[in-house]
Amino acid sequence: MTGVEVTLSTGRVAGRALDGVNRFLGIPYAEDPVGDLRFAAPRPRSPWPGVRDATRPAATAQRLRFDTDPAIPEPIVAGTDILHVDVWAPSHGPETSGSGASGPGASGPDGAGCPVMVWIHGGGWESGSSSQPWFDGATFARRGIVVVSVGYRLGVEGFTPFPDAPDNRGMLDWIAALEWVQREISVFGGDPGQVTVAGQSAGGGAVLCLLGSPAATGLFHRAIASSPAVLRAPAVQPGKDVSAASLAAGGAGAVDEFHRRLRKDNPFTLPFRPVVGGELVPEPPLEAVAGGHAGRIPLMIGFTATEFEIIADALPWPALVPGAALVAMSQKIPREGLRALARQSGGRSLRRSVGAVIDAAAIHSTVARAAETRAAEGDPTWVYDFTWAEGNGPRHCSDLPFFWAVPDAENVERFLGEPAPSSLVEAMHRSWVDFVTTGDPGFPAYEPDNRQVRQWNDPPAVIGDGLAAVREVWWPEGTG
């Protein structure tokens, strides 16, 4: 391992080079959100003197731990520098270039910069971080891609709407990070004209929000939404007795206590999410992902086959049906769609049936609606369904170690329940590499005449009308 330095517009940073990858952790893209900035729009970072150490993880926005055994380990690092990016860059150009370039600023084919993937982590808009071990960008960097993982404000600080603060502060952070990429990524060998924004779960919902946001126009050129969460119910309001100013005056302790209160008062729903309305998200994300500027951006989108059945396993019996009913109503599953789910769940246990309702409402519907809307407009769209059923099955997050090619990362094998087949890891990882590099993942696009879906199993397959079951729930009369 050797040291490596680059010069940004705000100063020098020192990272590490290891096995052909330059790693820089915790590079600030905005001022620390403390004091008067805690609930403000992100402010551009002032220059720093000397060389900033970028060899260790920076502070995490997540300060509270609600899940005692999260699928993806959630490191919590104290500090205030939460508005930062982690960067993994090839020490040389892409494997196909043969350029022999080395060090920061290495170029891609024909002297062009390397393609860039900007990652927005998930976690229900209240947990997760840029430095979670499943999101080690080294595997992509070794294939000629610069990876940028974004730290952003979460929970109350990022998404609770207050009358005395701008809405969607976490989303403003995403946009500020994308603007940082446009200014600085060439220093790392990246091409600001070849940026893919990608995310999973809440991060996948972030991608769909950004697709429809006028403020993000021109900041990225491809998009990957993995198990995207787009919740239709409005964000939880703070109440008249709480303001951004009063919480900011109380500091992190007051914010965390209010976060716990919102969590306690909303046991069956996520209290945080982007707010629809205004300049950032002028219309519901699923109405803005097709046509116009959004429609010109290639989108790969997909889900796991049994996303949230594990939630049904965790619900106590008295809460099982009411919890599913609340999710179904908040996501507006049509009555005939519920009957379709009942038919599809014939012979399954009550818990499995409830899990199917949660899956359909929370994730599967989002993918189907986005795919159908874009296909009707002729927008370039690719859809996948992760169905690998070995071990613990295709549940939420189980596809990530495959796409990131990290089968040996912390907690992966225990979460999957079986070792990940190397051939499937390679195929799924290659699909993201190809999409980020060329805009084509290597399987057929989702189009109205055949609705082909890539089924990720061992071996992979392509399925015609691969969203038929989901379409039956949301469009019981058919879509033609």
Side-chain angles (χ1 to χ4, degrees):
M1 184 180 293
T2 59
V4 60
E5 293 186 9
V6 297
T7 301
L8 307 172
S9 63
T10 46
R12 291 188 65 77
V13 293
R16 294 234 172 104
L18 177 66
D19 296 336
V21 177
N22 296 330
R23 306 160 191 253
F24 300 85
L25 306 180
I27 302 174
Y29 63 83
E31 295 287 355
D32 295 359
V34 295
D36 292 342
L37 298 183
R38 187 175 293 276
F39 292 96
R43 182 175 296 176
R45 184 73 183 199
S46 300
W48 54 80
V51 180
R52 185 181 178 93
D53 180 23
T55 62
R56 64 192 68 186
T60 57
Q62 180 182 359
R63 295 189 295 268
L64 304 176
R65 193 180 299 283
F66 293 102
D67 189 342
T68 57
D69 186 23
I72 309 171
E74 296 174 349
I76 295 179
V77 180
T80 61
D81 54 335
I82 62 175
L83 300 186
H84 63 261
V85 293
D86 300 333
V87 179
W88 293 260
S91 296
H92 302 276
E95 60 185 6
T96 56
S97 71
S99 65
S102 62
S107 297
D110 303 321
C114 298
V116 179
M117 184 174 82
V118 176
W119 178 252
I120 301 175
H121 68 80
W125 299 283
E126 66 174 352
S127 64
S129 75
S130 64
S131 56
Q132 290 176 275
W134 291 15
F135 308 138
D136 186 324
T139 54
F140 286 98
R142 292 190 187 102
R143 287 185 155 168
I145 292 170
V146 178
V147 175
V148 179
S149 187
V150 178
Y152 59 95
R153 281 173 286 185
L154 300 170
V156 174
E157 291 162 317
F159 295 98
T160 297
F162 295 101
D164 57 337
D167 287 339
N168 298 318
R169 297 169 297 278
M171 187 170 176
L172 288 169
D173 296 344
W174 306 332
I175 292 172
L178 287 166
E179 291 171 340
W180 180 93
V181 168
Q182 289 298 307
R183 292 193 307 270
E184 311 285 3
I185 205 62
S186 59
V187 171
F188 301 93
D191 181 356
Q194 270 202 95
V195 176
T196 298
V197 65
Q200 185 263 354
S201 195
V207 170
L208 299 186
C209 287
L210 289 168
L211 270 173
S213 177
T217 300
L219 297 180
F220 61 96
H221 315 92
R222 298 169 189 134
I224 299 173
S226 181
S227 298
V230 174
L231 304 181
R232 291 166 181 78
V236 173
Q237 299 295 312
K240 295 181 180 179
D241 59 327
V242 181
S243 67
S246 65
L247 290 176
V255 173
D256 291 349
E257 183 57 36
F258 185 59
H259 189 144
R260 291 188 185 95
R261 174 177 142 190
L262 291 181
R263 261 305 207 105
K264 182 180 178 180
D265 293 345
N266 298 274
F268 295 119
T269 60
L270 295 172
F272 310 108
R273 67 205 61 178
V275 175
V276 176
E279 294 181 1
L280 276 189
V281 190
E283 55 184 319
L286 292 177
E287 296 176 14
V289 297
H293 172 74
R296 292 191 291 273
I297 295 177
L299 170 67
M300 179 162 54
I301 188 169
F303 50 63
T304 67
T306 55
E307 292 274 1
F308 287 122
E309 287 193 2
I310 191 172
I311 290 181
D313 289 340
L315 286 173
W317 275 106
L320 201 59
V321 172
L326 181 60
V327 171
M329 287 189 294
S330 67
Q331 292 294 83
K332 302 178 182 178
I333 296 181
R335 187 181 299 272
E336 285 302 314
L338 290 172
R339 294 194 178 102
L341 276 172
R343 291 192 299 272
Q344 294 172 13
S345 298
R348 306 176 82 193
S349 70
L350 177 60
R351 285 194 182 276
R352 294 282 77 78
S353 299
V354 167
V357 172
I358 297 173
D359 287 347
I363 302 292
H364 292 177
S365 65
T366 296
V367 172
R369 285 174 165 223
E372 286 290 314
T373 303
R374 287 175 60 92
E377 294 286 338
D379 301 337
T381 307
W382 291 261
V383 177
Y384 71 83
D385 179 5
F386 180 76
T387 62
W388 184 68
E390 301 301 318
N392 295 323
R395 52 182 174 162
H396 196 59
C397 300
S398 60
D399 52 343
L400 292 174
F402 293 81
F403 286 128
W404 283 80
V406 289
D408 299 320
E410 181 183 353
N411 204 46
V412 166
E413 188 166 330
R414 185 172 78 91
F415 180 74
L416 295 180
E418 291 282 343
S422 58
S423 59
L424 186 56
V425 170
E426 169 60 22
M428 292 177 64
H429 180 58
R430 172 57 72 177
S431 73
W432 276 29
V433 169
D434 288 347
F435 185 81
V436 171
T437 303
T438 70
D440 185 341
F443 55 85
Y446 188 88
E447 298 175 342
D449 59 342
N450 50 37
R451 295 186 169 95
Q452 294 185 93
V453 171
R454 166 62 93 190
Q455 187 179 83
W456 287 122
N457 206 333
D458 191 18
V462 173
I463 307 298
D465 203 4
L467 297 180
V470 187
R471 292 171 58 241
E472 184 183 11
V473 173
W474 289 95
W475 298 280
E477 303 303 319
T479 58

